[in-house]
Amino acid sequence: DFKIYWKNEEFPLYNLQGKYVSFFPISPEEKSGSILLEISQGNWYSKSNRKKFEIEIFSPKFIVQEKQSIKLPEKYVAKTLPKSVLEFIKECEKLKSVAFKSESNLMLDDDFTFPVREKQVSSPFYIQRIYNKKKGRPHGGVDFRGKPGVHIFAIQNGKVVLSRPMYFEGIFTVIDHGAKIFSFYMHQSETLVKEGDYVKKGALIGKIGSTGMSTGPHLHLGMKVKGTLIDPLSAIALKI
């Protein structure tokens, strides 16, 4: 019986095709240094059963795009908004909070896959851009180019826990893959799934659009693991 600890927090282990796997998110804000990984077999309290590993973390340098300013629609940068809009934004935040608290067992069979057939990345993870002459927050996902109506596919097996229009995200879908791993899909022109649906990896779930806070048609793919934003391309590159 194995136990595994990352940053002094126990993480669940899953038996996936005869291999034990666990997933440790590393925040893009993590500072360079070492993180302790501990693995035990049998009695955790017996030091002889524990193995410790110092995992070196190197803080990457993300792109800051200073020379390009992107102009957003006024309703997304206005200092004051109508009460009805503020209430809708508040409702959207509540719905997202509930969706990302979903608890499920791991549903993976094998590797993650791309959400689109044409893999043209227009904005990488955590790039920081200038919006309306002000530096915006780091980009919390990866943008894929695509014409309106281009098909979007689930990157992994899972349960749809949110699929509806939102204020900033536009038509928004969140899939729970279990083990607190979530993928989410923004700015769609149409969603083809509903909350509660179970989908297989590669299933058609929506179409590319430019809804919400978007300056043109594309898919924003994001991922969270235990509440931490991660680069979706790192998960897709992972060999499970």
Side-chain angles (χ1 to χ4, degrees):
D1 186 23
F2 291 93
K3 287 187 177 181
I4 191 161
Y5 285 75
W6 175 256
K7 289 187 171 182
N8 296 315
E9 179 185 353
E10 185 177 2
F11 276 68
L13 278 167
Y14 297 91
N15 190 329
L16 186 63
Q17 299 178 3
K19 298 182 290 186
Y20 284 106
V21 299
S22 191
F23 298 89
F24 314 117
I26 298 173
S27 169
E29 302 286 347
E30 188 78 49
K31 303 299 182 186
S32 295
S34 61
I35 297 177
L36 183 64
L37 172 67
E38 294 185 86
I39 302 174
S40 74
Q41 183 176 11
N43 182 7
W44 165 255
Y45 298 100
S46 171
K47 290 185 178 180
S48 62
N49 290 339
R50 281 195 246 172
K51 289 187 177 180
K52 298 183 179 183
F53 304 89
E54 293 281 346
I55 308 298
E56 286 295 323
I57 303 297
F58 299 93
S59 181
K61 292 182 179 179
F62 295 105
I63 298 168
V64 177
Q65 200 170 45
E66 299 274 7
K67 295 181 180 179
Q68 181 182 8
S69 182
I70 297 171
K71 189 167 179 60
L72 292 169
E74 183 60 28
K75 69 176 183 175
Y76 294 113
V77 294
K79 291 182 179 179
T80 57
L81 292 168
K83 184 180 178 182
S84 59
V85 172
L86 292 173
E87 287 175 350
F88 180 53
I89 291 171
K90 189 175 180 180
E91 179 190 355
C92 290
E93 292 304 312
K94 284 183 180 178
L95 289 167
K96 286 189 288 183
S97 177
V98 170
F100 287 121
K101 286 177 182 173
S102 178
E103 297 269 1
S104 300
N105 289 325
L106 192 68
M107 299 183 222
L108 282 62
D109 288 331
D110 53 17
D111 302 342
F112 289 84
T113 191
F114 281 91
V116 288
R117 295 285 186 251
E118 297 292 328
K119 307 171 187 71
Q120 296 183 27
V121 173
S122 56
S123 291
F125 181 68
Y126 237 60
I127 186 174
Q128 200 167 14
R129 293 179 290 197
I130 308 300
Y131 294 98
N132 294 49
K133 299 182 180 179
K134 292 183 180 179
K135 191 178 286 188
R137 289 185 300 176
H139 189 231
V142 172
D143 287 350
F144 292 91
R145 284 194 183 93
K147 294 180 180 178
V150 167
H151 290 173
I152 299 168
F153 306 96
I155 65 170
Q156 187 54 268
N157 304 337
K159 179 183 177 181
V160 178
V161 290
L162 189 61
S163 193
R164 62 178 67 199
M166 310 288 273
Y167 185 73
F168 294 107
E169 296 85 357
I171 297 179
F172 184 53
T173 299
V174 180
I175 301 178
D176 172 12
H177 305 293
K180 302 297 288 184
I181 301 170
F182 299 89
S183 61
F184 51 94
Y185 311 75
M186 292 165 51
H187 309 308
Q188 299 171 95
S189 62
E190 183 181 358
T191 177
L192 301 175
V193 290
K194 63 184 184 300
E195 290 153 22
D197 284 352
Y198 284 88
V199 295
K200 283 290 195 181
K201 182 179 82 171
L204 177 60
I205 60 168
K207 297 178 181 180
I208 283 181
S210 186
T211 56
M213 197 171 78
S214 169
T215 58
H218 70 283
L219 167 67
H220 174 108
L221 173 68
M223 284 194 73
K224 280 188 176 183
V225 178
K226 289 181 73 70
T228 298
L229 278 173
I230 68 163
D231 184 347
L233 295 183
S234 69
I236 292 170
L238 189 65
K239 298 302 177 186
I240 299 173

